Amino acid sequence: MKLCVHGDKTFSSKGFTVATLVSLLSYGLPVMSTELDVTAFSESRYTSNARLSSYDTQEDVAQRLGLDFLFKEDRKRFNANARFSIEQEVYLNDTFSDETNISTGIGIFNFDIIEDFLDWRSSFTRKQILNDAALGDTPDNRIQRNIFRTGPTINYRINPTNTVLIDVNFIQIEISDDESADTKRVAGNASYKFQYNSLTSLSLSSSYDKIIESDYGDPSILRPDEEVERVGLNVGIDRVLFNGLMGARLGQNRIESSVSETITGNHFDIYFLKDQLFWHELNLNYSESISDSSLGFEDQPDEDSEPDSESEESTAGLDIVKRKRLEVSLARQLDLVKYQLTGALVDRDYEIQLNDEKEWLLALELSHRVSRSFSVAFNYEHNRSEFLDNPDQGENLTNSYSFDGRFDWTKQLSIEGT
């Protein structure tokens, strides 16, 4: 059993927020070969600007109640990993109406058809996203996006140095906003990997994605199926360094669309990790790619990367989005003290909608382990967004500060404060 107490203060150019979060219960239960974790939580948050508006500010207290479920099962021919969350959000001064949200993490259900060669993978993801990237994260600007993906995967190891991976998927996307397009598509990826030596591997990859059907929930929107076809090709290298790693995927994407002109753009995915660089740990990542706004970037399959949890591109209508993202972090451990400095830049370019945006992020984290059972931390985050196509909106500027504390009573019981 785990008892947690959280709280934080957020100072923003659009308002002042005080939040207190109490996690009531966290319980892990093994059921035969299945692991089930259940967490109940409650949060109360005061804000002087609930609408995140420079003109229509309003004080309110938001109350959030919910349950988190984490399910894991791992057998010889079958494994599953799914997260499920349900929460209720209530604004006591009625700034927004009550809202119930059900979401899932990435639930993966994998059946081995031919061991170590052919399997069938299925996943379902549900999350809230912003309907309009130019507006703030408020209840009336959130919509639900469901993504179901299923298909076979072939992993053929020709010999110890050569491997071929092929996967084909049917993908269905449903968006709760009636003015957004629900889509069905087919997607495929093929890659060849060559282990040059114990430190270096080379790869050649291709991808294909085509929308085969699009549909709008609003019957007054009568449009023929909006066809979008994406083809990508890239080469890659991964290398183990002394106290580090580096790698790159370089290529091009080409999108042919019935809603816009044909677009060709670079595909970059570069990372560099180095420990003990001037006594620091350096982590650098740069990515550049193209996607349609229905699917987004975090859901494009990539065997070598984790899903991107940040997905704020607009989904009102079908659009083509170019995104560039650069993130750099420096960290150092000094005995019982650790600090980390992170900077990020995200650029989103919409082909049709006037929502082009640049976002800057700067974050600092300082932590200190006072004793074996007690630790404290300080966090600062500066976030600035510039709306290039809507200069009248100005800039969104947010500065957040928090102090964290954690005390471990036992391995099963701890208290956290923020």
Side-chain angles (χ1 to χ4, degrees), residues 25 61 247:
L25 176 65
V61 176

Side-chain angles (χ1 to χ4, degrees), residues 228-234 250-257 260-268 288-291 297 320-324 349 351:
V228 176
E229 186 176 36
R230 181 180 65 88
V231 179
L233 181 66
N234 65 77
L250 308 177
Q252 277 201 331
N253 284 326
R254 175 184 175 89
I255 292 185
E256 295 184 0
S257 169
S260 68
E261 297 180 354
T262 297
I263 302 174
T264 300
N266 296 325
H267 174 80
F268 293 153
E288 181 177 336
S289 192
I290 306 175
S291 177
F297 292 92
I320 309 302
V321 189
K322 291 183 178 180
R323 187 182 70 170
K324 300 177 183 178
D349 181 5
E351 185 68 17

Side-chain angles (χ1 to χ4, degrees), residues 202-219:
L202 307 174
S203 65
L204 175 65
S205 303
S206 63
S207 61
Y208 176 80
D209 184 321
K210 181 178 182 179
I211 293 178
I212 56 177
E213 182 180 332
S214 61
D215 181 39
Y216 288 84
D218 187 347

Side-chain angles (χ1 to χ4, degrees), residues 253-317:
N253 284 326
R254 175 184 175 89
I255 292 185
E256 295 184 0
S257 169
S258 62
V259 299
S260 68
E261 297 180 354
T262 297
I263 302 174
T264 300
N266 296 325
H267 174 80
F268 293 153
D269 190 359
I270 303 169
Y271 70 91
F272 179 79
L273 307 174
K274 183 68 174 177
D275 198 8
Q276 300 301 319
L277 180 66
F278 299 106
W279 307 284
H280 286 80
E281 177 183 329
L282 171 66
N283 189 336
L284 184 149
N285 292 274
Y286 176 75
S287 63
E288 181 177 336
S289 192
I290 306 175
S291 177
D292 64 85
S293 58
S294 175
L295 180 62
F297 292 92
E298 80 286 11
D299 297 294
Q300 291 185 20
D302 185 341
E303 59 174 317
D304 297 314
S305 65
E306 295 294 330
D308 181 5
S309 59
E310 298 182 6
S311 177
E312 298 185 353
E313 59 270 8
S314 171
T315 57

